[in-house]
CSV table of all heavy atoms in Angstrom, one decimal:
chain,number,residue,atom,x,y,z
A,124,THR,N,-19.0,-175.1,5.6
A,124,THR,CA,-20.1,-175.0,6.5
A,124,THR,C,-19.6,-175.3,7.9
A,124,THR,O,-18.5,-176.1,7.9
A,124,THR,CB,-21.4,-175.9,6.2
A,124,THR,OG1,-21.0,-177.2,6.2
A,124,THR,CG2,-21.9,-175.5,4.9
A,125,GLY,N,-20.1,-174.9,8.9
A,125,GLY,CA,-19.5,-175.1,10.3
A,125,GLY,C,-18.4,-174.2,10.6
A,125,GLY,O,-18.2,-173.2,9.8
A,126,LYS,N,-17.7,-174.5,11.7
A,126,LYS,CA,-16.6,-173.7,12.1
A,126,LYS,C,-15.4,-174.0,11.4
A,126,LYS,O,-14.9,-175.1,11.3
A,126,LYS,CB,-16.5,-173.8,13.6
A,126,LYS,CG,-17.6,-173.3,14.4
A,126,LYS,CD,-17.4,-173.5,15.9
A,126,LYS,CE,-18.7,-173.1,16.6
A,126,LYS,NZ,-18.5,-173.4,18.1
A,127,LEU,N,-14.6,-172.9,11.1
A,127,LEU,CA,-13.2,-173.2,10.5
A,127,LEU,C,-12.3,-172.9,11.7
A,127,LEU,O,-12.4,-171.9,12.4
A,127,LEU,CB,-13.0,-172.2,9.4
A,127,LEU,CG,-11.7,-172.3,8.7
A,127,LEU,CD1,-11.6,-173.6,7.9
A,127,LEU,CD2,-11.4,-171.1,7.7
A,128,ARG,N,-11.3,-173.8,11.8
A,128,ARG,CA,-10.4,-173.6,12.9
A,128,ARG,C,-9.0,-173.5,12.3
A,128,ARG,O,-8.7,-173.8,11.2
A,128,ARG,CB,-10.5,-174.7,13.9
A,128,ARG,CG,-10.3,-176.1,13.4
A,128,ARG,CD,-10.6,-177.1,14.5
A,128,ARG,NE,-10.0,-178.4,14.2
A,128,ARG,CZ,-10.8,-179.4,13.7
A,128,ARG,NH1,-12.0,-179.2,13.4
A,128,ARG,NH2,-10.3,-180.6,13.5
A,129,ASP,N,-8.1,-173.1,13.1
A,129,ASP,CA,-6.7,-173.0,12.7
A,129,ASP,C,-6.0,-174.4,12.8
A,129,ASP,O,-5.9,-175.0,13.8
A,129,ASP,CB,-5.9,-172.1,13.7
A,129,ASP,CG,-4.4,-171.9,13.4
A,129,ASP,OD1,-4.0,-172.3,12.2
A,129,ASP,OD2,-3.6,-171.5,14.2
A,130,PHE,N,-5.7,-174.8,11.5
A,130,PHE,CA,-5.1,-176.3,11.4
A,130,PHE,C,-3.6,-176.3,11.7
A,130,PHE,O,-3.1,-177.4,11.6
A,130,PHE,CB,-5.4,-176.8,10.1
A,130,PHE,CG,-6.9,-176.9,9.7
A,130,PHE,CD1,-7.5,-176.2,8.8
A,130,PHE,CD2,-7.6,-177.8,10.5
A,130,PHE,CE1,-8.8,-176.3,8.4
A,130,PHE,CE2,-9.0,-178.0,10.2
A,130,PHE,CZ,-9.6,-177.3,9.2
A,131,SER,N,-3.0,-175.2,11.9
A,131,SER,CA,-1.5,-175.1,11.9
A,131,SER,C,-0.9,-176.0,13.0
A,131,SER,O,0.3,-176.6,12.7
A,131,SER,CB,-1.0,-173.7,12.0
A,131,SER,OG,-1.4,-173.1,13.2
A,132,ASP,N,-1.5,-176.2,14.1
A,132,ASP,CA,-0.9,-177.1,15.2
A,132,ASP,C,-1.5,-178.5,15.2
A,132,ASP,O,-1.1,-179.2,16.1
A,132,ASP,CB,-1.1,-176.4,16.5
A,132,ASP,CG,-0.3,-175.1,16.7
A,132,ASP,OD1,0.7,-175.0,16.0
A,132,ASP,OD2,-0.8,-174.2,17.4
A,133,GLU,N,-2.3,-178.8,14.3
A,133,GLU,CA,-2.9,-180.2,14.3
A,133,GLU,C,-2.2,-181.2,13.5
A,133,GLU,O,-1.6,-180.8,12.5
A,133,GLU,CB,-4.4,-180.0,13.8
A,133,GLU,CG,-5.3,-179.3,14.6
A,133,GLU,CD,-6.7,-179.4,14.2
A,133,GLU,OE1,-7.2,-180.5,14.1
A,133,GLU,OE2,-7.3,-178.3,14.1
A,134,VAL,N,-2.2,-182.4,14.0
A,134,VAL,CA,-1.7,-183.5,13.3
A,134,VAL,C,-2.8,-184.4,12.9
A,134,VAL,O,-3.6,-184.8,13.6
A,134,VAL,CB,-0.7,-184.3,14.1
A,134,VAL,CG1,-0.1,-185.6,13.4
A,134,VAL,CG2,0.5,-183.4,14.7
A,135,PHE,N,-2.9,-184.5,11.5
A,135,PHE,CA,-4.0,-185.3,10.9
A,135,PHE,C,-3.7,-186.7,10.6
A,135,PHE,O,-2.6,-187.1,10.2
A,135,PHE,CB,-4.5,-184.6,9.6
A,135,PHE,CG,-5.1,-183.3,9.8
A,135,PHE,CD1,-4.3,-182.1,9.7
A,135,PHE,CD2,-6.4,-183.1,10.2
A,135,PHE,CE1,-4.8,-180.9,9.9
A,135,PHE,CE2,-6.9,-181.8,10.3
A,135,PHE,CZ,-6.0,-180.7,10.2
A,136,VAL,N,-4.7,-187.6,10.8
A,136,VAL,CA,-4.6,-189.0,10.4
A,136,VAL,C,-5.8,-189.2,9.5
A,136,VAL,O,-7.0,-189.0,10.0
A,136,VAL,CB,-4.6,-189.9,11.6
A,136,VAL,CG1,-4.6,-191.4,11.1
A,136,VAL,CG2,-3.3,-189.7,12.5
A,137,ALA,N,-5.6,-189.7,8.3
A,137,ALA,CA,-6.7,-190.0,7.4
A,137,ALA,C,-7.2,-191.4,7.7
A,137,ALA,O,-6.3,-192.3,7.6
A,137,ALA,CB,-6.3,-189.8,6.0
A,138,VAL,N,-8.4,-191.7,8.0
A,138,VAL,CA,-9.0,-192.9,8.2
A,138,VAL,C,-10.1,-193.0,7.2
A,138,VAL,O,-11.1,-192.4,7.3
A,138,VAL,CB,-9.5,-193.1,9.7
A,138,VAL,CG1,-10.2,-194.5,9.8
A,138,VAL,CG2,-8.4,-192.8,10.7
A,139,VAL,N,-9.8,-193.8,6.2
A,139,VAL,CA,-10.7,-194.0,5.0
A,139,VAL,C,-10.9,-195.5,4.7
A,139,VAL,O,-10.1,-196.3,5.0
A,139,VAL,CB,-10.2,-193.2,3.8
A,139,VAL,CG1,-10.1,-191.7,4.0
A,139,VAL,CG2,-8.8,-193.7,3.3
A,140,GLY,N,-11.9,-195.7,3.9
A,140,GLY,CA,-12.2,-197.1,3.5
A,140,GLY,C,-13.4,-197.1,2.7
A,140,GLY,O,-14.0,-196.1,2.2
A,141,PRO,N,-13.9,-198.4,2.4
A,141,PRO,CA,-15.0,-198.6,1.5
A,141,PRO,C,-16.3,-198.1,2.0
A,141,PRO,O,-16.4,-198.1,3.2
A,141,PRO,CB,-15.0,-200.1,1.2
A,141,PRO,CG,-14.3,-200.7,2.4
A,141,PRO,CD,-13.3,-199.7,2.8
A,142,ARG,N,-17.2,-197.7,1.2
A,142,ARG,CA,-18.5,-197.4,1.6
A,142,ARG,C,-19.3,-198.6,2.1
A,142,ARG,O,-20.1,-198.5,3.0
A,142,ARG,CB,-19.3,-196.6,0.4
A,142,ARG,CG,-18.7,-195.3,0.1
A,142,ARG,CD,-19.5,-194.5,-0.9
A,142,ARG,NE,-19.0,-193.3,-1.2
A,142,ARG,CZ,-18.3,-192.9,-2.2
A,142,ARG,NH1,-18.2,-193.8,-3.2
A,142,ARG,NH2,-17.8,-191.7,-2.4
A,143,LYS,N,-19.1,-199.7,1.4
A,143,LYS,CA,-19.7,-201.0,1.8
A,143,LYS,C,-18.7,-201.7,2.6
A,143,LYS,O,-18.1,-202.6,2.1
A,143,LYS,CB,-20.2,-201.7,0.5
A,143,LYS,CG,-21.3,-201.0,-0.3
A,143,LYS,CD,-21.7,-201.9,-1.4
A,143,LYS,CE,-22.8,-201.1,-2.2
A,143,LYS,NZ,-23.2,-201.9,-3.4
A,144,ALA,N,-18.7,-201.4,3.8
A,144,ALA,CA,-17.8,-202.0,4.8
A,144,ALA,C,-18.5,-203.2,5.6
A,144,ALA,O,-19.7,-203.1,5.8
A,144,ALA,CB,-17.2,-201.0,5.8
A,145,SER,N,-17.6,-204.0,6.1
A,145,SER,CA,-18.2,-205.1,7.0
A,145,SER,C,-18.5,-204.5,8.4
A,145,SER,O,-17.9,-203.4,8.7
A,145,SER,CB,-17.1,-206.2,7.2
A,145,SER,OG,-16.0,-205.7,7.8
A,146,ASP,N,-19.2,-205.2,9.2
A,146,ASP,CA,-19.5,-204.6,10.5
A,146,ASP,C,-18.2,-204.6,11.3
A,146,ASP,O,-18.0,-203.6,12.1
A,146,ASP,CB,-20.4,-205.6,11.3
A,146,ASP,CG,-21.9,-205.5,10.8
A,146,ASP,OD1,-22.2,-204.5,10.1
A,146,ASP,OD2,-22.6,-206.4,11.1
A,147,TYR,N,-17.3,-205.5,11.1
A,147,TYR,CA,-16.0,-205.5,11.8
A,147,TYR,C,-15.2,-204.3,11.4
A,147,TYR,O,-14.6,-203.5,12.3
A,147,TYR,CB,-15.2,-206.8,11.5
A,147,TYR,CG,-13.7,-206.7,12.1
A,147,TYR,CD1,-13.5,-206.8,13.4
A,147,TYR,CD2,-12.7,-206.3,11.2
A,147,TYR,CE1,-12.2,-206.7,13.9
A,147,TYR,CE2,-11.4,-206.2,11.7
A,147,TYR,CZ,-11.2,-206.3,13.0
A,147,TYR,OH,-9.9,-206.1,13.5
A,148,GLY,N,-15.1,-204.0,10.1
A,148,GLY,CA,-14.4,-202.8,9.6
A,148,GLY,C,-14.9,-201.5,10.2
A,148,GLY,O,-14.2,-200.6,10.6
A,149,GLU,N,-16.3,-201.4,10.3
A,149,GLU,CA,-16.8,-200.2,10.8
A,149,GLU,C,-16.5,-200.1,12.4
A,149,GLU,O,-16.1,-199.0,12.8
A,149,GLU,CB,-18.3,-200.1,10.6
A,149,GLU,CG,-18.6,-199.8,9.1
A,149,GLU,CD,-20.1,-199.5,8.9
A,149,GLU,OE1,-20.8,-199.4,9.8
A,149,GLU,OE2,-20.4,-199.6,7.7
A,150,ARG,N,-16.6,-201.2,13.1
A,150,ARG,CA,-16.3,-201.1,14.5
A,150,ARG,C,-14.8,-200.7,14.7
A,150,ARG,O,-14.4,-200.0,15.5
A,150,ARG,CB,-16.6,-202.5,15.1
A,150,ARG,CG,-18.1,-202.7,15.5
A,150,ARG,CD,-18.3,-203.8,16.3
A,150,ARG,NE,-17.6,-205.0,16.0
A,150,ARG,CZ,-17.9,-206.0,15.2
A,150,ARG,NH1,-19.1,-205.9,14.6
A,150,ARG,NH2,-17.1,-207.1,15.0
A,151,ALA,N,-13.9,-201.4,13.9
A,151,ALA,CA,-12.5,-201.1,14.0
A,151,ALA,C,-12.2,-199.6,13.6
A,151,ALA,O,-11.4,-199.0,14.4
A,151,ALA,CB,-11.7,-202.0,13.1
A,152,ALA,N,-12.8,-199.1,12.7
A,152,ALA,CA,-12.5,-197.7,12.2
A,152,ALA,C,-13.0,-196.8,13.4
A,152,ALA,O,-12.3,-195.8,13.7
A,152,ALA,CB,-13.2,-197.4,10.9
A,153,ARG,N,-14.1,-197.0,13.9
A,153,ARG,CA,-14.7,-196.2,15.0
A,153,ARG,C,-13.7,-196.3,16.2
A,153,ARG,O,-13.5,-195.2,16.8
A,153,ARG,CB,-16.1,-196.7,15.3
A,153,ARG,CG,-16.8,-195.8,16.2
A,153,ARG,CD,-18.3,-196.2,16.4
A,153,ARG,NE,-19.0,-195.2,17.2
A,153,ARG,CZ,-20.3,-195.1,17.1
A,153,ARG,NH1,-21.1,-195.8,16.3
A,153,ARG,NH2,-21.0,-194.2,17.9
A,154,SER,N,-13.3,-197.5,16.6
A,154,SER,CA,-12.5,-197.6,17.8
A,154,SER,C,-11.1,-197.0,17.6
A,154,SER,O,-10.6,-196.3,18.4
A,154,SER,CB,-12.3,-199.1,18.1
A,154,SER,OG,-11.4,-199.3,19.1
A,155,LEU,N,-10.5,-197.2,16.4
A,155,LEU,CA,-9.2,-196.7,16.1
A,155,LEU,C,-9.3,-195.1,16.1
A,155,LEU,O,-8.4,-194.5,16.7
A,155,LEU,CB,-8.7,-197.2,14.7
A,155,LEU,CG,-7.4,-196.5,14.2
A,155,LEU,CD1,-6.2,-196.9,15.2
A,155,LEU,CD2,-7.2,-197.0,12.8
A,156,SER,N,-10.3,-194.5,15.5
A,156,SER,CA,-10.4,-193.1,15.4
A,156,SER,C,-10.7,-192.5,16.8
A,156,SER,O,-10.2,-191.4,17.1
A,156,SER,CB,-11.6,-192.7,14.5
A,156,SER,OG,-11.2,-193.1,13.2
A,157,ALA,N,-11.4,-193.2,17.6
A,157,ALA,CA,-11.6,-192.7,19.0
A,157,ALA,C,-10.3,-192.7,19.8
A,157,ALA,O,-9.9,-191.7,20.4
A,157,ALA,CB,-12.6,-193.6,19.7
A,158,ARG,N,-9.5,-193.7,19.7
A,158,ARG,CA,-8.2,-193.8,20.3
A,158,ARG,C,-7.3,-192.7,19.8
A,158,ARG,O,-6.6,-192.0,20.5
A,158,ARG,CB,-7.5,-195.2,20.2
A,158,ARG,CG,-8.3,-196.2,21.1
A,158,ARG,CD,-7.6,-197.6,21.0
A,158,ARG,NE,-7.7,-198.0,19.6
A,158,ARG,CZ,-7.5,-199.2,19.2
A,158,ARG,NH1,-7.1,-200.1,20.0
A,158,ARG,NH2,-7.7,-199.5,17.9
């Protein structure tokens, strides 16, 4: 669903973790992913 784009020139970083995360973990993941 949504738009499919050409992934050939993209560099991916997987940011994954637990579903039940601490507040700190969620803030860190959000900040890191934004950067």
